[in-house]
Amino acid sequence: MGKCNGRCTLVGFCCLQLIAALERQIFDFLGYQWVPILANFLHIMAVILGVFGTIQYRSKYLILYAVWLVLWVGWNAFIICFYLEVGHLSQDRDFIMTFNTSLHRSWWMENGPGCLVTPVMNSNLALEDHHVITVTGCLLDYQYIEVVSSAMQIFLALFGFVYACYVSKVFMEEEDSFDFIGGFDSYGYQAPQKMSHLQLQPLYTSG
């Protein structure tokens, strides 16, 4: 029962991670945030690998999934530092999230709760193919929305990491003890073939 609970809990956390990652991917696409889009895609692939490893009793897949979660926590910690402008990071100077190819910001900057967007006409600050706007009245600034989103990703990743380590440990212990999970086929066992093709021959003796 404990093993089943661990597997079921891990699959549940993986499903929550998939939902959160897909939700984040949509808003990153809307905001043209190319680096987060790439990171989200890799994360989705890793979570699917974790689900497959959990269902198919593959401890190696769970180890890869756990290693990725460590990188994922680091990436989301960087996003939090970036939007809070920790150290020398600056949103006005560094356009890391778009590979420095555009000035696009988070989609939540213009579409946050209560935000009122007002275009500034004939502004000398406007670059080619861009327009200047002012955003007022936001109930929650877009920086904090991104921080909360990354914090939620870290929370799910930490729980997923703990359960991935636990379940993979259970799987490896069962492999070492040769516990026949799923029958002999999972260990490459082949049953001896029947000797039905042999024919009995009469034995003659000289008297």
Side-chain angles (χ1 to χ4, degrees), residues 73-133:
V73 169
W75 165 248
N76 282 277
F78 170 77
I79 292 180
I80 292 175
C81 293
F82 176 77
Y83 281 106
L84 295 181
E85 297 187 341
V86 176
H88 297 288
L89 295 174
S90 174
Q91 299 179 58
D92 297 326
R93 183 184 68 251
D94 303 322
F95 297 95
I96 303 173
M97 300 302 171
T98 61
F99 286 117
N100 291 320
T101 58
S102 70
L103 301 179
H104 288 98
R105 303 289 185 88
S106 169
W107 181 83
W108 294 106
M109 180 179 181
E110 302 179 25
N111 300 276
C115 291
L116 178 62
V117 179
T118 304
V120 179
M121 307 303 296
N122 301 324
S123 174
N124 295 328
L125 299 177
L127 301 178
E128 185 178 358
D129 298 330
H130 289 79
H131 60 278
V132 177
I133 61 173

Side-chain angles (χ1 to χ4, degrees), residues 3 32 39 43 47 62 72 79 95 131 154 169 181 193:
K3 179 189 67 177
Y32 304 101
H43 180 59
V47 174
L62 289 180
W72 184 244
I79 292 180
F95 297 95
H131 60 278
I154 292 176
K169 181 176 180 294
I181 301 176
Q193 298 179 355

